[in-house]
Amino acid sequence: MTDQADSQGIATGLVKWFDSVRGFGFVVDDAGGPDILLHANVLRDFGQSAVSEGTHVRVAVVPTPRGFQATQVLEVTPPAEVGAPIPELSDHSPEEIAALAIQPARVKWFDRQKGFGFANLFGKGGDVFLHVEVLRRSGFADLAAGEAVALRVVDGRRGLMAAEVLAWDRALHDAEDAVA
């Protein structure tokens, strides 16, 4: 952690694990310090309900009697792509996906065990398919029903499919930056 003498500092590291049911997880400090507690409420304030292992985060931290604890998530960078590509997305380059419009959506349901779920785009009919691998590549471990997210969507063989999932707050910030 940087600025360990301060009452609050900034740390970066990789998510060691995060359990959305238990409501917390830990970040391994890049600087070699002790693990940092990441509470679900702090992550929710950033606009995500869960984060996947291996995701790189930048957080504001404070020392507590039990160790360091994140007080604010400042940045989330999804893990490097690993595993086999999703066949329906293999026709699209990362640059093409990044160029797609960001669309506001709400999660209809998502079952982590099944590996998929659906979301509804605001103001539009039909469902958007959510694949667990797209979530992982976007830095999410899980999604809650009713959660607001932003999606980059492609037209798949069986209908609309999320190619990228963004935290609502991040997407809003990115959209404001693009306008400015």
Side-chain angles (χ1 to χ4, degrees):
M1 183 186 89
T2 59
D3 298 330
Q4 288 191 13
D6 290 335
S7 61
Q8 183 163 348
I10 305 296
T12 59
L14 292 178
V15 174
K16 185 177 191 176
W17 61 268
F18 187 87
D19 187 329
S20 56
V21 173
R22 294 171 65 190
F24 70 94
F26 287 92
V27 174
V28 178
D29 189 350
D30 284 345
D35 288 354
I36 301 161
L37 174 67
L38 177 59
H39 196 274
N41 288 336
V42 174
L43 192 56
R44 274 189 216 104
D45 287 344
F46 181 74
Q48 286 188 217
S49 61
V51 67
S52 63
E53 293 177 11
T55 297
H56 197 263
V57 295
R58 189 167 65 93
V59 293
V61 297
V62 295
T64 70
R66 296 176 66 176
F68 286 99
Q69 181 172 339
T71 58
Q72 182 181 12
V73 175
L74 304 170
E75 185 178 333
V76 172
T77 305
E81 229 176 89
V82 293
I86 299 166
E88 288 193 74
L89 296 179
S90 62
D91 294 341
H92 304 280
S93 72
E95 294 79 21
E96 289 173 327
I97 291 172
L100 294 170
I102 296 172
Q103 301 185 58
R106 186 162 310 276
V107 176
K108 188 173 180 179
W109 63 269
F110 187 81
D111 187 325
R112 188 174 169 187
Q113 299 301 320
K114 291 181 180 178
F116 69 93
F118 292 91
N120 299 118
L121 297 174
F122 286 123
K124 297 182 181 176
D127 291 338
V128 176
F129 181 72
L130 302 168
H131 192 282
V132 70
E133 205 51 46
V134 171
L135 261 65
R136 283 191 195 116
R137 292 173 186 195
S138 299
F140 289 79
D142 203 355
L143 293 172
E147 185 172 351
V149 294
L151 304 174
R152 295 186 196 273
V153 177
V154 297
D155 202 5
R157 288 188 301 264
R158 292 189 261 162
L160 298 178
M161 177 179 184
E164 183 178 16
V165 180
L166 302 164
W168 178 255
D169 290 355
R170 178 177 164 207
L172 184 61
H173 181 268
D174 289 355
E176 288 171 351
D177 285 351
V179 172

